[in-house]
Amino acid sequence: MSAPRLALVTGANRGLGRAVAEALARGGHRVLLAGRQAADLAREAARLGAAGLEAAPLVLDLGDPASIAAAAAALAAGPPLDVLVQNAGVFGEDSDRTAARRTLAVNLAGPVRLGAALAGGLADGARVVLVSSGMGELSSLPEAWRGQVEAASSDAELLLVADRFVAAMEAAGKTGSATLAYRVSKALLNRLARRLAGELAPRGVLVNAVCPGWVRTDMGGSGASRSIEEGARSILWATSLPAGGPSGGFFRDGKPIGW
Ligand code: NDP
């Protein structure tokens, strides 16, 4: 019998990440449930285990570079990852003066660092999904930020634009808008998907950004138009692409959407 394929999902304790992790486990993967809440993750792993599925918790705070490095070091000793879903994310509060900093740290800097730390530990032919949002479309950004986001390609450039954005919002003495911070973070995440796709193409790794649609999670709220299952399906599509499938794209429900 062959070993189960290994998947890692960030933000797996609730919302879309929890649903994606369970679906991957039901599809025969051994799933690493990554997130900040050790007790929640252990409970979730036990719930899946009781259903005969393979899952294990992995403590990972995307806002903390040391936590990312520790998680990557723990993984380095194990088998390569066949599926990586960078799902965790935050949408700040307008009134919170630290919202821009936190949003860019978790939604962009964390995924950049985790992507770099795990790239060497991906199996040839792996699938990588960055969970983004249609709100990150470049056309939705103010001109000044659109140009900078578009020009950023390396990890260092992505992090530099994120730092500049946070500094500008804090210098203005406000977050600007939590929505703008979220838009900028996801627009930069889309650039990361394109960059990783290029870097990993020689190894047959497919990397795509995916929007789940507006989903009834803690983040999306109860008035959102989609169920968690519908949103998760949009993400899962990109985890099971055939060899030679699209890479470096931005999709919702398996269909390309605008950058
Ligand atoms: P939820 O708010 O329900 O869940 C967010 C998840 O991210 C939680 O597991 C949370 O863990 C985790 N997380 C937050 N901060 C960190 C951190 N510092 N380190 C590790 N994990 C963290 O959101 P959704 O499930 O709705 O969102 C999942 C993804 O989908 C996000 O990237 C979001 O931007 C995207 N998306 C969602 C939409 C929607 O309508 N819901 C629409 C478009 C995109 P904890 O419990 O520790 O906070």
Side-chain angles (χ1 to χ4, degrees):
M1 211 170 82
S2 62
R5 290 164 59 78
L6 186 64
L8 187 155
V9 181
T10 65
N13 56 309
R14 60 189 171 98
L16 284 160
R18 179 175 185 258
V20 166
E22 177 163 354
L24 288 170
R26 290 196 183 281
H29 290 85
R30 176 169 195 271
V31 183
L32 298 170
L33 310 171
R36 294 184 294 184
Q37 321 286 353
D40 286 4
L41 295 167
R43 200 176 312 119
E44 188 58 16
R47 184 182 73 82
L48 296 178
L53 305 173
E54 285 200 58
L58 178 71
V59 174
L60 171 68
D61 182 345
L62 282 168
D64 177 2
S67 172
I68 294 171
L75 291 175
L81 287 173
D82 299 290
V83 174
L84 170 62
V85 182
Q86 294 228 42
N87 158 82
V90 292
F91 188 108
E93 300 293 323
D94 270 330
S95 58
D96 181 352
R97 286 192 45 166
T98 62
R101 183 172 292 277
R102 193 176 62 248
T103 303
L104 272 294
V106 175
N107 293 5
L108 187 269
V112 165
R113 294 193 174 102
L114 189 65
L118 297 186
L122 293 170
D124 288 351
R127 303 291 179 261
V128 177
V129 186
L130 304 187
V131 181
S132 186
S133 166
M135 288 176 73
E137 278 185 28
L138 282 168
S139 59
S140 78
L141 300 185
E143 188 66 39
W145 293 113
R146 191 187 314 159
Q148 294 198 45
V149 170
E150 256 184 310
S153 55
S154 68
D155 283 1
E157 287 165 354
L158 292 167
L159 295 173
L160 186 64
V161 176
D163 282 349
R164 275 197 208 123
F165 176 79
V166 171
M169 294 302 116
E170 290 182 351
K174 55 187 167 75
T175 60
S177 138
T179 307
L180 179 59
Y182 185 78
R183 287 182 190 284
V184 169
S185 73
K186 294 299 190 182
L188 287 167
L189 189 70
N190 289 345
R191 308 307 291 180
L192 175 65
R194 288 174 77 157
R195 193 192 71 63
L196 284 174
E199 178 189 323
L200 298 171
R203 292 170 46 205
V205 176
L206 305 181
V207 185
N208 290 290
V210 168
C211 172
W214 186 25
V215 182
R216 291 187 292 277
T217 60
D218 293 339
M219 183 186 292
S222 58
S225 54
R226 293 186 160 198
S227 67
I228 289 183
E229 291 68 27
E230 285 172 290
R233 217 174 295 135
S234 191
I235 297 167
L236 288 161
W237 170 84
T239 68
S240 57
L241 291 168
S247 191
F250 187 21
F251 295 91
R252 184 186 301 119
D253 300 334
K255 299 186 184 65
I257 57 175
W259 294 103

